[in-house]
């Protein structure tokens, strides 16, 4: 079984540009999560999809961040326009339907905004 | 305001020693406490987890100790090996809410 995959693995952009991160969850996993770790700090929750619906987006920093999950499969996280403080590692995780299921994390996308 | 506080930030232990990583939480609604292990270039992976109805859980060389009244839990690694060198994150989750709240991580190095 393939794990959670994320693309790209690294991205370096300039302030004001747009970046789109992609996450492919484990096949059959209805739950998909986005998290972010700013250097040296905790991994912070951004949002949670159940299939294509946003279940909880309480962690999204502001309206420069837009997450989508078309058809309940892969998900994208767009940052537009990017700011310096958006730099960090963006993790995607997925889990089976149901409460308390293990969340499986992808390797992350390392974003650097200059 | 950090809901899960983790210490130490980094830890160096000799092979065979018992590293201990501590976490404390504020939210009494938390009812699931996992530990994640992360190797460089990889995502965090679930290592072991505990619910507050037990005070200890062991899986192989890894043990979680849980103190509900003190709102603290800790990870112990018995007979530590260089291959255990990684970053460890404690986390917590409340019933009915699937988001994980993480600590800041502990960078563990086991020296031969």
């Amino acid at each position: 079984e393939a794990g959670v995959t994320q693309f790209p693995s690294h991205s370096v952009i300039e302030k004001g540009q747009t970046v789109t991160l992609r996450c492919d969850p484990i096949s059959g996993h209805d739950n998909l999560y986005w998290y972010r770790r700013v250097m040296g700090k905790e991994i912070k929750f951004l949002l949670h999809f159940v299939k294509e619906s946003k279940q909880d987006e309480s962690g999204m920093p502001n309206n420069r961040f837009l997450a989508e999950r078309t058809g309940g499969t892969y998900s994208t996280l767009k940052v537009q326009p990017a700011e310096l403080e958006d730099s960090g590692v963006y993790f995607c995780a997925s889990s089976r339907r149901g409460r308390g299921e293990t969340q499986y994390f992808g390797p992350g996308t390392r974003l650097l905004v200059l | 305001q950090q809901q899960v506080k983790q210490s130490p930030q980094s830890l160096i232990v000799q092979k065979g020693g018992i590293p201990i990583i501590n976490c404390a939480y504020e939210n009494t609604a938390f009812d699931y406490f996992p530990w994640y292990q992360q190797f460089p270039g990889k995502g965090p992976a679930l290592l072991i987890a505990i619910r507050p109805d037990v005070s200890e859980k062991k899986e192989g060389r890894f043990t979680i100790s849980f103190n509900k009244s003190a709102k603290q839990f800790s990870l112990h690694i018995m007979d530590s090996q260089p291959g255990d060198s990684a970053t460890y994150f404690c986390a917590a989750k409340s019933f009915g809410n699937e988001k994980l709240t993480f600590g800041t991580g502990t960078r563990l190095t086991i020296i031969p």
Side-chain angles (χ1 to χ4, degrees), chain A residues 32-50:
Chain A
L32 187 148
Y33 311 83
W34 284 98
Y35 292 86
R36 176 175 73 175
R37 189 184 191 207
V38 173
M39 185 150 49
K41 299 203 170 179
E42 71 271 32
I43 301 172
K44 271 194 173 179
F45 169 83
L46 297 178
L47 90 159
H48 169 207
F49 283 100
V50 177

Side-chain angles (χ1 to χ4, degrees), chain B:
Chain B
Q1 179 188 353
Q2 207 176 317
Q3 291 199 54
V4 178
K5 293 184 180 179
Q6 183 172 346
S7 63
Q9 190 174 5
S10 63
L11 185 58
I12 300 174
V13 172
Q14 206 142 22
K15 178 185 171 185
I18 306 175
I20 301 173
I21 304 170
N22 300 299
C23 285
Y25 63 96
E26 295 291 328
N27 187 349
T28 54
F30 287 148
D31 72 342
Y32 175 71
F33 301 89
W35 285 89
Y36 279 78
Q37 178 188 54
Q38 184 187 17
F39 293 106
K42 305 287 186 182
L46 179 65
L47 185 64
I48 184 174
I50 196 168
R51 295 198 181 272
D53 51 346
V54 296
S55 60
E56 186 177 275
K57 184 173 181 181
K58 287 184 183 180
E59 284 186 8
R61 296 184 293 107
F62 300 91
T63 299
I64 300 179
S65 296
F66 186 83
N67 186 328
K68 188 174 181 177
S69 60
K71 293 187 285 185
Q72 295 175 346
F73 58 110
S74 59
L75 177 70
H76 303 231
I77 305 175
M78 308 301 290
D79 187 26
S80 58
Q81 301 296 314
D84 297 328
S85 298
T87 299
Y88 291 81
F89 294 93
C90 62
K93 189 174 79 68
S94 56
F95 181 77
N97 188 333
E98 293 305 302
K99 74 178 182 185
L100 291 168
T101 300
F102 283 89
T104 50
T106 296
R107 192 166 188 171
L108 174 65
T109 303
I110 308 297
I111 52 177

